[in-house]
Amino acid sequence: MKIISINAGSSSLKFSLINMEDESVIANGVFERIGIDGKYTIKFNGEKYTEDVQLKDHNDAVNILLEKLISLKIVNSLDEIEGVGHRVVQGKDLFDKTVIVDDEVMEKLESIKHFAPLHNPANMLGIKAFQKALPNVPNTVVFDTAFHQTMKPETYLYAVPYQWYEKYGIRKYGAHGTSHRYITEVTSNLLGTENFKLISCHIGNGASITAIKDGKCVDTSMGFTPLAGVMMGTRSGDIDPSLLPPVMEAENKDINAIINDLNKNSGVLGLSGISSDMRDLEDAYNKGNERAILTMNKYARRITDYIAQYYVLLGGADVITFTAGVGENSPLVRKLVCDNLACLGIKIDEEKNQVRGKQTLISTEDSKVKVYVIPTDEELMIARDTLELIKR
Ligand code: AMP
């Protein structure tokens, strides 16, 4: 049984072909510059295949992908593909779990696409391309927001006029839900129970912290969009919106240009003036660069703030997990955050904390909270959900 996980963006389409018997990745890759010129990279059997090809639209990308699966002998026949799972960024409050795509689902997706204008329409193009190319294979949609649908109104509402919520759907939706759900499952297996309090830190270029009790999301740091919460690679995280008008006036920018600055030119990149990449920031920090030290301390402080807030919200925590690019690979960030949390009796083992990209318990035996590094796997979660639904 083979399943494809798809993450379609406006000009790219990432795929992972997974063998569900042992959950191994058979092949993965990316189709890029769709609608511009086109290029694909496919990794299979330790080889990397790259070619510049004309990709007018997402249909071209899917057709060439399926062609390559055969010609590179990744599969013998397309009949081996039994399902395609698609990552969708925003499901609003219309979707609280993964579903099989039908006309009603596509209509609902159409009705909410303006809530994630850069992402949802692209996700839908990916779905339509597979519906066309493999008409007999079921597609599923796996939402970044679904896991967070268990938040209570007192958590997901903003203290703004209530009509904004009623009329325009203004509320916290969160993101990275598939990753936080995967981490919750792995933690549950590690602890051998479903009943625990977990603070899950997904810290990549985008970053979100989620408070989870007994497998359900209680609160999460991202908001109406992924701009909210902690400081990220290029995103500001939470700010006071009243700072916008003076900057707009001084820089002669409209609201879209300013929101673009908050999304693309802020965070680690904006504050350090060095790079959005944690590896570059760490280099500069280790060389004693003052702005890098300031940025690193602020970065760790913002993550600490959310962990501390959720520790109180949950009435304590059994486990804190670190995942995604920074969370899995930066001993420095983990150390700074955990040192900030020392007053809660949280202690990490310096040596164990040197781990990169490998599941490891990094807290000491006498730490009041267990701290784990757990690599995330959103593609596998998408494939598992798809398998679960098509088996029924
Ligand atoms: P993600 O969005 O999860 O793919 O994470 C990407 C980010 O992870 C990069 O921009 C880097 O900031 C960070 N990252 C990746 N590898 C390392 C590493 N070895 N050390 C520190 N940060 C890393």
Side-chain angles (χ1 to χ4, degrees):
M1 161 94 52
K2 297 183 179 91
I3 290 194
I4 307 185
S5 285
I6 292 292
N7 186 353
S10 53
S11 66
S12 69
L13 184 137
K14 292 190 193 131
F15 80 95
S16 203
L17 177 71
I18 300 178
N19 178 356
M20 296 313 287
E21 260 104 67
D22 59 0
E23 297 193 329
S24 62
V25 176
I26 302 167
N28 58 12
V30 59
F31 286 69
E32 296 167 274
R33 300 181 60 82
I34 300 173
I36 306 164
D37 36 36
K39 175 186 172 181
Y40 72 76
T41 307
I42 296 176
K43 290 188 206 155
F44 169 57
N45 251 349
E47 299 283 333
K48 192 163 144 182
Y49 303 88
T50 295
E51 198 185 340
D52 292 328
V53 279
Q54 177 73 30
L55 300 173
K56 304 191 288 310
D57 54 25
H58 288 68
N59 289 320
D60 278 357
V62 170
N63 288 332
I64 293 173
L65 165 61
L66 297 177
E67 225 176 272
K68 291 290 153 194
L69 292 182
I70 298 283
S71 65
L72 295 172
K73 298 201 169 19
I74 298 172
V75 296
N76 294 319
S77 148
L78 294 178
D79 294 342
E80 291 173 31
I81 299 163
E82 302 204 35
V84 184
H86 299 263
R87 176 187 184 209
V88 177
V89 166
Q90 177 58 272
K92 259 192 102 222
D93 44 9
L94 299 184
F95 297 98
D96 62 3
K97 56 179 177 303
T98 299
V99 292
I100 291 194
V101 176
D102 59 16
D103 290 348
E104 195 189 326
V105 166
M106 288 307 273
E107 273 165 36
K108 280 188 185 168
L109 287 176
E110 185 68 34
S111 77
I112 59 174
K113 68 179 184 191
H114 56 288
F115 277 84
L118 295 179
H119 296 105
N120 270 31
N123 303 152
M124 290 172 72
L125 288 175
I127 299 168
K128 286 178 186 159
F130 273 96
Q131 284 178 322
K132 205 164 160 190
L134 296 174
N136 298 320
V137 176
N139 289 276
T140 65
V141 273
V142 185
F143 295 92
D144 268 17
T145 47
F147 184 62
H148 304 305
Q149 278 297 304
T150 46
M151 286 185 292
K152 290 187 181 154
E154 68 200 46
T155 304
Y156 67 67
L157 288 176
Y158 291 111
V160 294
Y162 192 72
Q163 307 87 277
W164 293 7
Y165 166 60
E166 289 180 306
K167 284 190 190 161
Y168 318 124
I170 302 298
R171 51 159 283 183
K172 178 189 280 209
Y173 292 106
H176 294 146
T178 309
S179 173
H180 290 297
R181 186 158 56 94
Y182 177 81
I183 296 297
T184 306
E185 280 194 16
V186 175
T187 307
S188 177
N189 290 336
L190 284 168
L191 301 187
T193 172
E194 290 183 353
N195 304 108
F196 54 91
K197 296 168 186 172
L198 165 66
I199 301 172
S200 166
C201 308
H202 177 112
I203 312 172
N205 193 29
S208 67
I209 319 292
T210 297
I212 296 149
K213 183 153 189 257
D214 300 340
K216 293 201 169 67
C217 166
V218 182
D219 198 357
T220 191
S221 61
M222 282 179 167
F224 179 66
T225 72
L227 179 54
V230 294
M231 170 180 167
M232 308 176 213
T234 60
R235 291 181 214 144
S236 60
D238 301 333
I239 54 153
D240 176 354
S242 302
L243 65 83
L244 300 181
V247 181
M248 288 165 71
E249 201 178 318
E251 300 218 335
N252 195 20
K253 284 183 171 169
D254 66 11
I255 188 71
N256 292 324
I258 285 287
I259 295 291
N260 188 57
D261 278 342
L262 294 177
N263 271 307
K264 303 264 171 71
N265 300 321
S266 300
V268 172
L269 173 67
L271 199 56
S272 71
I274 296 169
S275 164
S276 63
D277 196 301
M278 191 48 68
R279 286 163 286 204
D280 300 333
L281 190 73
E282 281 188 16
D283 282 348
Y285 175 95
N286 290 330
K287 286 181 188 137
N289 179 302
E290 270 181 37
R291 282 267 291 281
I293 294 168
L294 165 78
T295 304
M296 187 65 87
N297 289 339
K298 168 103 189 153
Y299 189 83
R301 169 57 51 201
R302 292 299 293 140
I303 297 166
T304 311
D305 290 346
Y306 270 94
I307 295 176
Q309 181 188 331
Y310 292 162
Y311 186 91
V312 174
L313 176 71
L314 293 171
D318 299 304
V319 183
I320 295 171
T321 53
F322 287 96
T323 197
V326 180
E328 290 168 29
N329 296 301
S330 175
L332 176 62
V333 169
R334 295 191 299 250
K335 180 180 163 37
L336 292 174
V337 170
C338 291
D339 283 355
N340 286 342
L341 294 164
C343 64
L344 298 178
I346 293 169
K347 285 189 220 160
I348 55 168
D349 181 306
E350 293 276 343
E351 224 168 273
K352 290 181 185 153
N353 184 41
Q354 295 313 310
V355 67
R356 292 177 198 265
K358 201 168 147 251
Q359 185 178 300
T360 308
L361 178 68
I362 59 166
S363 49
T364 58
E365 263 181 30
D366 62 342
S367 175
K368 290 235 172 80
V369 180
K370 285 192 163 79
V371 183
Y372 279 99
V373 172
I374 302 178
T376 193
D377 196 339
E378 287 159 291
E379 291 77 21
L380 178 58
M381 200 74 222
I382 290 171
R384 279 186 187 164
D385 278 6
T386 306
L387 177 66
E388 178 76 33
L389 281 174
I390 61 178
K391 265 196 328 204
R392 284 186 196 162

